[in-house]
Structures are given as C-alpha cells and as structure tokens.
Amino acid sequence: MTSFESSRVAEIHRELHTHLPSEPALRVKALESLLVEKGLLDSRTVDAWVEAYTEEIGPKRGAHVVAKAWTDPAYKARLMADAPAAIDEFGYLGGATSHLKVVENTDTVHNLVVCTLCSCYPFSILGIAPNWYKTAAYRARAVRDPRGVLAEFGVEIGDEVEVRVWDSTAELRYLVLPQRPAGTEDRDETALAGLVTRNSMIGTQRDLSPKTGEAS
Amino acid sequence: MSGPDADAIGPLKRKDGEPVFDEPWQAQVLAMADALVQRGAFTPVEWSDTLGEELRRAERAHSPDEATTHYQAALGALERLLDRKGAVTAEALSDRRDGWARAYLATPHGQPVKLDNG
C-alpha cells in the first residue's frame, strides 16, 4: 500500500466514523444554534416546519380551496375578491397566506405564475415550490416564451387563448384557479379536490382529468 | 429531442417529479427564513431582494441551474441578511461553524455530537 493510499484510507475511515456534515449543513447548524441562543428562533419551530412541509402540507390546501370555489359560487366570489380572507375561512394553522390573488382560467384565458426575482410562491397552501419553479431557466422563459414553456409541460394553448403571466413578489403571490373538468357534475368537494394538481394551480397544466389527479 | 428549443427547455419538465429537498439542511434554511419573517426579524421584501441578489450572483458564477444552487443561495441570503442586521455576524457564524466541525471530528461514531465552546 502506498502512502497515498494509506492516507486516503485513513481519510475515508475518519469520514465514516465522524460523519462530518457537508459544508452547508455545518453552516445551517451554526446559524440555527446561534439564533436559538439569541432567542430569535425556537428549534422546535424549525423542526415542526420541516416535518410539516416535508410530510404533510403539499398542495392539498390549495386543491381544497379550488374545489370549494368550483362547488360554491358565493365562496368563489369571496375568493376572487379577497383571497386571504376566503382562505382563512378554512382555518388552516399558521396563518395560511397574507398577500394572495387568485387568477381564473377560462375558455379564453390561461394564467401562468412565475417569480422572476427569486422563488416567491404561496407555499402555505401549495407546499414547497417544485424544483423547476426555482430554476433560472423557468424564471426567464416563463415571461419571454410562456407558450414554449407550456408546450414543454405538454400544454398546447390555441391562438384564441390569451396567456397571462403573473410575476410573484414578496408582497403579492398568485394562485391559478383551473377550470373544472367536464363530466364531474356529480362529484362532491372532497372528490373534486382529489382532481386538482399542484401544476394546475401554478399554470403549467391546463386541463385536469375527471379521473385522477394526473395530467389529462 | 425534437429540436434545439425542446433541448433548451427539456430539463424543466424532467425536474417535475424531483423531491423538493435532497438534504435536511435545505428544508432547515427555508424553515429559518420563514420563522424569522414571521417574527419580524426581517421583512418579506428584504428576504426576496437578498435572495434575488444571491441568485443573480450564482447565475453570474455559472452555478448549475439546480435546486442545490437555489438552496445554497437561500443560505447565503440568510447569512448576509442576519449579518447586515447585526443579529448574527459573519465572524460569529464562522467561529461557530468551526466549533461544530471540531465537535463532529472529536465525537466517536454513534454518540451525540455536543458543541464544546472552548
């Protein structure tokens, strides 16, 4: 065994036995422990947040809001007029969202949401933004070539349909209200919520399937 | 691929099913940022502006257009904002990072890692 190999073996041995975290993980640990000591953060808050957003929240809240709007015209009117207040009616824990506007798809309008600056996103009702939403490619192309982006997601938009792109900010985020699929007149709110996908509420999906939550 | 345009945008759709967090620290960064916004340590606008600056910096450095780059930028934004606010200085953070690294290296496998502030 050469000395290079033996030192490499020693290095691997050390890594295996110490589990030194990655550089960003170390920095996060350092930051969290300092913030907790300064009373700026409760580590239980961080743990609970991570658990909730990794396991639970996802887009279910948003889907529920959409299904309610489909089945209850009075609710839809309140949602379009003042989305945060209408969403608060559900009583989601943790103050669902303070600055939100709902934009409605129709036969002649398709809405697409982006954040060109960073990754502003209504995560309290849609969960963590998908990775593509955070890419520089999406942030640039959604504005420059929305129809091209939509085509990439398998969404063909006819020329008669206007595509509106909404640029989210820290002060105003957007939720797309997709169209209710045909043939779902007999479904109740819960069944309808199961048809609503995350992408349909961002706008990278247009037609929802009456059968599953998958792209039609 | 059907042409250069599909090539350019193809990766977006391919990312659709990816898990949003590869590693726990990525979720912890967002959790800390949200908690600090909620308690008013900084405003949502300060957060998005600083994150936007970090993302532009990453783009200029030709970092890969991936989730990891985004979370690295979020961590950098959090560090910079807290340093600027005087809440956690860059120096204090660097010292603490080194302290944790020493603690990990000094702790035998299987035992809880404890920070030795000495």
Side-chain angles (χ1 to χ4, degrees), chain A residues 95-175:
Chain A
T97 189
S98 50
H99 305 289
L100 185 79
K101 182 178 165 63
V102 173
V103 289
E104 185 184 9
N105 284 353
T106 67
D107 287 344
T108 54
V109 173
H110 182 80
N111 295 285
L112 181 67
V113 179
V114 64
C115 171
T116 57
L117 175 65
C118 50
S119 52
C120 296
Y121 186 78
F123 57 86
S124 60
I125 51 167
L126 292 188
I128 300 301
N131 288 346
W132 52 260
Y133 187 86
K134 302 171 210 166
T135 60
Y138 181 74
R139 290 184 287 118
R141 290 210 50 194
V143 173
R144 209 172 56 221
D145 178 25
R147 284 172 193 266
V149 168
L150 288 167
E152 161 62 20
F153 279 89
V155 180
E156 299 294 339
I157 302 275
D159 289 341
E160 73 286 1
V161 177
E162 178 195 351
V163 177
R164 293 182 187 160
V165 180
W166 301 88
D167 191 1
S168 310
T169 67
E171 291 174 308
L172 189 55
R173 296 161 196 215
Y174 299 92
L175 179 77

Side-chain angles (χ1 to χ4, degrees), chain B residues 3 7 14 21-23 35 37 44 49 61 63 67 73 80 82-83 85-86 96 102-103 114:
Chain B
D7 254 341
R14 280 203 294 278
F21 301 121
D22 285 330
E23 296 176 57
V37 165
D49 282 350
S63 303
R80 209 145 57 82
L82 290 169
D83 181 53
K85 295 267 173 190
R96 179 57 60 92
R102 281 195 304 274
K114 290 200 179 111

